[in-house]
Amino acid sequence: MRGVNRYARHLRSAFSQKTRNRTDVLRRGQKQRQLIHTNSESLSIVKPDRYGTPKFINLRALSVDAAKFSNGDYNVAGPLVEYERRIAAGELVDGDSCQVGTLRELQRLYDELVNSAQACRLDRYAVSEKSGRSRWLWSRFIPQSSYSPVKGLYLYGGVGTGKTMLMDLFFDQLPSNWRKKRIHFHDFMLNVHSRLQRHKGVADPLEVVAGEISDEAILLCLDEFMVTDVADALILNRLFGHLFSNGVILVATSNRAPDKLYEGGLQRDLFLPFISTLKERCVPHEIGSATDYRKLTSAERGFYFIGKDSSSFLKQKFQQLIGKSTAGPQEVEVVMGRILQVPSGANGCAYFPFEELCDKPLGAADYFGLFKKFHTLALEGIPIFGLHNRTAAYRFVTLVDVMYENKARLLCTAEGSPHELFEKIVTISDAQQIAPRTSTRSRKNDVSDLCVDNELGFAKDRTISRLTEINSKEYLEQHAQLAAENRNWQNGDNQDALQL
């Protein structure tokens, strides 16, 4: 009997302690909410949901203390909170209202994903281990379609408005155990074509490829979404149809609104269903800022030399970079078994005449291969672009995109400034605003080689902006830091800050 009484007293004591603990947790939660409201006049948080995640309505004036405050069951977290922390720490310039509006959209998506993580099958450790091909074979017998309960986000706007930075900030806040992937659109499509080659002979290789991609990443973040290639345009609708059916959530950035994608392209009528699918599965959001943040950086430390007589100067700077090493021809392996010939290279630095990189039939795959091996490109003789070298202009735009994505360094000689290189490239609407020549108006050189091209006309602003940033002090410092961390870049005496 004494044992029974002792056990009963133990149960009562344990129950009382549990009740006190629960009461303490509730009191701490109330104090936390009071502290958050005290530290920020414009912060509003509704009651946490059943997952313990607070819903953010307005975080514009969030203080650093409130952003860092966390307690037990839930944390104040997300891209908007991190953005405010970086501004308070001086890591970012105080954003404009357009950036803050975009961050609210990203925060909304972040909260939805956290609340629906299980339904979206985001946890990488809880997914099936079936391979893409076996998954496809199984689907032949039991067709399945599981659209995500959460819609993605399609961010579009002008160059330099911070789209990539905002998406990366969002991506970096996501849990590490999620099936997520962040990749440039060029690289993504190269990967798709490589997988298609591997699955030749299958009845529907696109379905297999989509199965493999969705097995690896349910949340897919694509930077610089743009469609200029007819082959890509023709497969995107079916590819993303399969991806969305597999539950993939897309977050994309682009310079073009969804309805403007592949505008004027060959067989665009076959591409239009993809636009409808994209708008159905993603929330389009425009970043309307007129500020180009890339151009706010200082560009006095760049290696952009103007003039046809700068070749010897460029070679001198190239030799300073490689030090005592002797530069010579090298080869670079490119995807799908191709080889790119490098005229001269040493210590992670490659030297090319413009014609070798942009007048030959090369593309994004070749450029990605180049910058996997070389961190610095010396490019000699960038010309003024116009109708006569439109194809070279397209390749140069792609080259700069890939270089920027890999944070590579550029030394170059050019016939003009970044703006002057593209003055003769205009969109259709720009061309319509150019006054026609009359008998009293002489033919000017600036319109004699005019190239009217919508895709190139839109892409040129991005390229001008990126060329400006690539030559800035901030970009070069970031390049130097990344170069120092890469083992392949530590084989020689590489100097990352030249004195002009």
Side-chain angles (χ1 to χ4, degrees):
M1 185 61 116
R2 286 178 193 163
V4 172
N5 290 335
R6 214 170 22 248
Y7 181 66
R9 286 196 300 272
H10 175 72
L11 286 176
R12 283 195 300 270
S13 176
F15 179 77
S16 299
Q17 181 64 38
K18 184 174 182 181
T19 303
R20 285 195 298 272
N21 290 342
R22 183 174 297 174
T23 303
D24 290 341
V25 169
L26 291 173
R27 286 173 178 170
R28 285 198 299 271
Q30 291 172 353
K31 289 180 180 179
Q32 176 182 350
R33 286 188 288 274
Q34 292 172 359
L35 174 63
I36 292 175
H37 281 285
T38 301
N39 286 339
S40 175
E41 295 179 357
S42 63
L43 172 68
S44 298
I45 301 183
V46 301
K47 183 178 179 180
D49 60 21
R50 62 191 181 95
Y51 292 94
T53 303
K55 296 293 185 180
F56 303 96
I57 297 176
N58 182 8
L59 285 172
R60 185 67 190 96
L62 180 64
S63 70
V64 180
D65 291 336
K68 291 181 178 178
F69 192 93
S70 63
N71 179 42
D73 292 337
Y74 62 86
N75 297 309
V76 178
L80 188 51
V81 176
E82 176 62 15
Y83 179 80
E84 294 288 351
R85 184 200 67 76
R86 293 187 187 184
I87 288 178
E91 298 173 15
L92 290 176
V93 178
D94 194 3
D96 57 28
S97 59
C98 295
Q99 282 195 348
V100 175
T102 302
L103 277 160
R104 289 198 182 103
E105 283 295 308
L106 288 167
Q107 183 70 49
R108 175 195 57 76
L109 177 59
Y110 174 89
D111 293 338
E112 287 186 14
L113 290 171
V114 170
N115 294 343
S116 306
Q118 185 174 359
C120 293
R121 298 176 290 118
L122 283 164
D123 191 337
R124 74 171 70 250
Y125 302 109
V127 299
S128 170
E129 297 181 355
K130 289 183 294 202
S131 67
R133 188 180 286 262
S134 63
R135 175 195 181 110
W136 174 79
L137 289 172
W138 184 253
S139 71
R140 298 297 89 195
F141 299 99
I142 306 178
Q144 297 177 340
S145 178
S146 54
Y147 287 102
S148 170
V150 176
K151 286 189 176 184
L153 194 60
Y154 182 92
L155 305 176
Y156 66 98
V159 299
T161 52
K163 298 183 296 296
T164 297
M165 181 275 292
L166 295 175
M167 186 179 74
D168 286 346
L169 192 151
F170 163 79
F171 185 82
D172 292 341
Q173 299 303 302
L174 301 173
S176 58
N177 63 306
W178 281 9
R179 289 190 289 160
K180 58 179 182 176
K181 188 177 185 66
R182 187 271 188 210
I183 188 171
H184 192 277
F185 183 73
H186 277 319
D187 207 2
F188 172 74
M189 291 309 301
L190 287 172
N191 182 269
V192 168
H193 287 294
S194 180
R195 291 175 189 258
L196 289 173
Q197 288 287 328
R198 194 163 62 244
H199 294 299
K200 273 187 175 180
V202 176
D204 190 351
L206 272 176
E207 186 175 359
V208 178
V209 170
E212 291 179 344
I213 294 172
S214 55
D215 280 342
E216 297 166 5
I218 280 294
L219 182 59
L220 186 60
C221 295
L222 296 182
D223 191 29
E224 297 294 350
F225 200 108
M226 53 183 162
V227 187
T228 58
D229 184 83
V230 64
D232 292 346
L234 293 178
I235 69 172
L236 278 174
N237 185 51
R238 291 183 53 236
L239 173 65
F240 274 90
H242 291 311
L243 288 174
F244 290 139
S245 292
N246 291 342
V248 166
I249 304 161
L250 175 65
V251 178
T253 69
S254 179
N255 293 136
R256 309 293 296 273
D259 290 323
K260 298 293 184 181
L261 286 171
Y262 197 52
E263 191 173 34
L266 294 173
Q267 298 180 306
R268 189 173 187 261
D269 56 321
L270 300 178
F271 179 77
L272 294 179
F274 168 72
I275 296 177
S276 299
T277 303
L278 181 65
K279 292 193 291 187
E280 179 185 345
R281 297 306 311 162
C282 293
V283 177
H285 178 81
E286 181 179 9
I287 306 178
S289 176
T291 303
D292 186 342
Y293 288 95
R294 296 193 190 112
K295 294 181 181 178
L296 297 181
T297 57
S298 54
E300 68 273 9
R301 294 290 300 277
F303 307 116
Y304 189 105
F305 310 118
I306 299 175
K308 296 181 179 180
D309 300 327
S310 303
S311 175
S312 60
F313 190 62
L314 180 66
K315 291 176 181 177
Q316 178 186 345
K317 293 299 180 184
F318 177 76
Q319 188 60 48
Q320 289 179 11
L321 284 179
I322 65 175
K324 297 179 180 179
S325 301
T326 301
Q330 296 191 25
E331 292 184 344
V332 173
E333 287 189 17
V334 184
V335 294
M336 291 181 277
R338 295 207 308 275
I339 298 294
L340 175 65
Q341 301 293 334
V342 180
S344 182
N347 283 354
C349 303
Y351 194 103
F352 276 87
F354 178 84
E355 296 79 10
E356 292 291 319
L357 268 187
C358 298
D359 276 344
K360 291 187 175 181
L362 303 178
D366 304 281
Y367 303 146
F368 272 109
L370 176 66
F371 291 115
K372 283 181 181 178
K373 184 172 182 178
F374 296 96
H375 59 77
T376 296
L377 170 66
L379 188 62
E380 180 182 345
I382 304 173
I384 300 290
F385 297 112
L387 185 61
H388 73 287
N389 59 359
R390 175 169 57 182
T391 303
Y394 266 108
R395 294 196 184 103
F396 181 68
V397 166
T398 302
L399 174 66
V400 173
D401 283 343
V402 175
M403 183 187 310
Y404 185 86
E405 176 72 10
N406 286 273
K407 289 295 177 282
R409 177 173 48 184
L410 173 68
L411 287 76
C412 68
T413 61
E415 293 182 4
S417 68
H419 280 281
E420 291 169 341
L421 295 181
F422 289 93
E423 275 185 337
K424 297 180 181 179
I425 306 292
V426 297
T427 62
I428 295 175
S429 60
D430 291 336
Q432 291 172 345
Q433 295 176 8
I434 299 176
R437 291 185 298 275
T438 64
S439 57
T440 59
R441 181 184 170 199
S442 61
R443 181 180 180 88
K444 293 186 176 180
N445 292 330
D446 58 347
V447 295
S448 61
D449 193 29
L450 196 67
C451 176
V452 182
D453 189 308
N454 258 3
E455 289 297 331
L456 196 54
F458 279 105
K460 76 171 186 179
D461 291 333
R462 181 180 71 252
T463 305
I464 293 169
S465 176
R466 288 185 165 179
L467 282 174
T468 303
E469 185 182 357
I470 284 173
N471 286 281
S472 70
K473 176 183 176 182
E474 291 79 2
Y475 181 94
L476 292 173
E477 288 175 348
Q478 185 179 15
H479 161 85
Q481 181 180 356
L482 292 174
E485 295 172 356
N486 192 318
R487 296 178 183 176
N488 296 328
W489 297 357
Q490 296 177 356
N491 296 327
D493 184 18
N494 179 32
Q495 301 294 324
D496 287 288
L498 293 178
Q499 299 296 324
L500 292 177

